[in-house]
Amino acid sequence: MSASDSAIGAEATVSRTVFLGRDAVRKSRPPKSYRLPELDRRIRSVRTRSEARLMREARRAGVRTPCVYDIDLADCSIVMERVVGPTAKEAIASDPERAPEIAARIGEAVARLHSAGICHGDLTTSNMIVLPDGEVCLIDFSMGCSKASLEEIGVDVRLLERAFGSAHAGMDEALESMMKAYFEGIPDADAVRKKLADIDNRGRYT
Ligand SMILES: Nc1ncnc2c1ncn2[C@@H]1O[C@H](COP(=O)(O)OP(=O)(O)OP(=O)(O)O)[C@@H](O)[C@H]1O
Ligand SMILES: [Mg+2]
């Protein structure tokens, strides 16, 4: 989070709070005036509910995600555990030598997520927090889905690769170690590789 203890993304506001004595953050989705009010309310409440549900499901599947403490559908906010650590983007930028190791932990976390049939929808290194023990905690599940199809999984992987490649240009070794850990961690690597080839071909000919 920024020095002001508040980070404002495209849609959400994240601020520090305390929940029953625990260090926490509140992620809220304020109304957007450019949307029709009824539609806006629906989008905000669907994203809030879906984000909290996916975080819980991922956690149950052994993926490190913030523990959800409370959800308030009236103001579309989630109160969750505050995970302490730099984002993967910050960690890699501040210590490039650790990039391959951090990247491998990212690959493992995403593999576990996909093995549980959950896709994330926004796998950038800003949506990952590196814990003191090196494990990677995934955050920001608002664009994700459960019961993901092979297509959805494939798109998630391509986005992960692209986001990593553009945020950390030139770190080919790290990118490779991320993908190696990912393919080692999923049950049917061949099916996903084939799907990625399909996605690439489609991009080339459409
Ligand atoms: N549980 C948490 N613990 C610590 N920091 C967090 C937590 N959740 C979010 N943050 C910080 O706030 C930033 C923004 O959070 P997040 O990525 O969830 O929202 P967003 O990108 O603004 O929202 P969205 O994409 O859903 O509109 C993160 O990059 C991270 O620095
Ligand atoms: Mg984010």
Side-chain angles (χ1 to χ4, degrees):
M1 250 177 292
S2 68
S4 66
D5 277 346
S6 167
I8 300 176
E11 300 268 340
T13 311
V14 177
S15 58
R16 254 182 103 159
T17 183
V18 173
F19 182 80
L20 299 178
R22 280 175 264 189
D23 200 8
V25 300
R26 175 186 297 274
K27 177 168 177 175
S28 11
R29 300 187 168 276
K32 294 282 171 200
S33 53
Y34 57 80
R35 286 198 287 247
L36 288 170
E38 187 49 31
L39 181 65
D40 182 57
R41 208 186 47 76
R42 248 188 86 73
I43 291 176
R44 288 161 54 228
S45 108
V46 166
R47 291 207 181 139
T48 302
R49 236 183 307 207
S50 143
E51 177 161 21
R53 181 176 57 83
L54 291 173
M55 266 196 282
R56 288 203 188 98
E57 280 184 21
R59 206 179 162 75
R60 241 178 275 135
V63 181
R64 183 70 171 90
T65 60
C67 184
V68 177
Y69 292 153
D70 195 21
I71 164 164
D72 183 344
L73 288 177
D75 78 341
C76 294
S77 69
I78 301 172
V79 177
M80 65 184 111
E81 168 194 3
R82 185 169 84 96
V83 180
V84 181
T87 63
K89 186 175 185 178
E90 292 163 347
I92 291 171
S94 70
D95 190 358
E97 287 199 352
R98 274 188 71 205
E101 173 206 329
I102 296 169
R105 305 306 290 266
I106 294 173
E108 278 168 24
V110 176
R112 216 168 295 142
L113 188 73
H114 286 179
S115 300
I118 303 168
C119 86
H120 182 280
D122 192 14
L123 285 172
T124 67
T125 46
S126 304
N127 289 334
M128 304 168 184
I129 296 176
V130 182
L131 304 177
D133 69 359
E135 200 186 349
V136 167
C137 175
L138 300 182
I139 62 168
D140 201 357
F141 280 77
S142 56
M143 306 304 283
C145 68
S146 53
K147 300 192 180 75
S149 63
L150 185 56
E151 170 77 20
E152 285 165 324
I153 297 284
V155 170
D156 225 25
V157 177
R158 267 295 175 259
L159 288 177
L160 170 69
E161 265 189 309
R162 294 229 175 97
F164 192 98
S166 67
H168 310 286
M171 293 196 167
D172 297 350
E173 189 196 335
L175 185 58
E176 262 173 48
S177 84
M178 180 174 81
M179 297 315 291
K180 182 167 177 286
Y182 174 77
F183 284 116
E184 280 171 5
I186 53 167
D188 196 351
D190 286 346
V192 175
R193 283 209 174 86
K194 187 169 172 295
K195 176 51 82 177
L196 292 177
D198 284 354
I199 294 172
D200 293 344
N201 280 331
R202 224 159 48 202
R204 205 166 300 147
Y205 298 113
T206 52

